Amino acid sequence: MAEAAPEEDGELRAAGLRLSVTGEVATVTLARPERRNAMTGRTWRALAHVGQRLPSSVRIVVITGEGPSFSAGIDLAMFRPGGVEGETSLMDRIADGSADEAELDAVIAEYQEGFRWLRRPDVVTVAAVRGHAIGAGLQLALSCDLRILADDAQLCMKEPALGLVPDLTGTKPLVEAVGPNRAMELCLTARTVGADEARELRLAELVVAGDQLDGAVADLVAALQAVPREAAAATKELLQGAAGRTLDEQAAAERRAQAGRLRALAAQSARDSAG
Ligand code: ACO
């Protein structure tokens, strides 16, 4: 198993993250269990760096949390005067007028990068959720392609209850999974959804007993690895685009993708017969 390089390791540790890469599989662990894996701006920047520096061998990314919670969301210290130790406080800068609209937009966009890359077609991303996934924690799980929940999972889009909106790219996958009306109900009541309801609402692909979570993730990873990676990437891209296309457009996209696959398979077959 390859761990992150030492300088990256320091950045990740400071951000409350751990990364391990074993062949085709990277595991990102939210590793601040004493704070229920609460995340800060530094966490999201480091997550973006993980995506940027992912070894090309990696085709599956598992996001998991250490301890009883997946993540309690944003570190609430970010809203207090002074903010999080060692990090510039955005709230202080807004309060004293030194962060203008453009900068605020840029900072949030930078945070969102920590979540956006999980949609990349060349990787399949899996959230393994035990315990609480609140606010930013739920948005992180929603950014993944697939979610496996332990039966003690509790999901909550808490932002509106704190006077905020969910802004870490979680609103789109939420609406796509549960529809706009249910998404509104969940966000505007900020209620907590247990694992069974999450499965009924299609917020989870699978719910398992807590002691079976690691095994279920390993089984899913093995099944994903059994499909050729190029076909998986082309299929993910096709499926991601489906909702935004008409049937004619999607049929054309299927033809284009298949032509690419057929050419690649023919070239492979020619190489195999030559050598
Ligand atoms: N930010 C900072 N510290 C946190 C956070 C957080 N989001 N969540 C938990 N902690 C800390 C607690 O303050 C506590 O610290 P202490 O040991 O110094 O007292 C420690 O982590 C353990 O937390 P407990 O509350 O004791 O753990 P418990 O298992 O009973 O409850 C739970 C876990 C439900 C997650 C609870 O901590 C909680 O409600 N946290 C706040 C959740 C929240 O509102 N997040 C923001 C959502 S909005 C967004 O993400 C944009």
Side-chain angles (χ1 to χ4, degrees), residues 212-231:
Q212 286 168 27
L213 184 61
D214 294 345
V217 170
D219 289 349
L220 176 60
V221 166
L224 291 167
Q225 283 183 287
V227 168
R229 66 189 296 168
E230 295 79 9

Side-chain angles (χ1 to χ4, degrees), residues 180-202:
N181 307 78
R182 179 63 71 187
M184 258 182 245
E185 184 261 330
L186 293 176
C187 292
L188 303 188
T189 64
R191 76 177 170 89
T192 297
V193 172
D196 287 340
E197 186 186 0
R199 181 178 43 204
E200 279 164 28
L201 291 177
R202 303 198 203 164

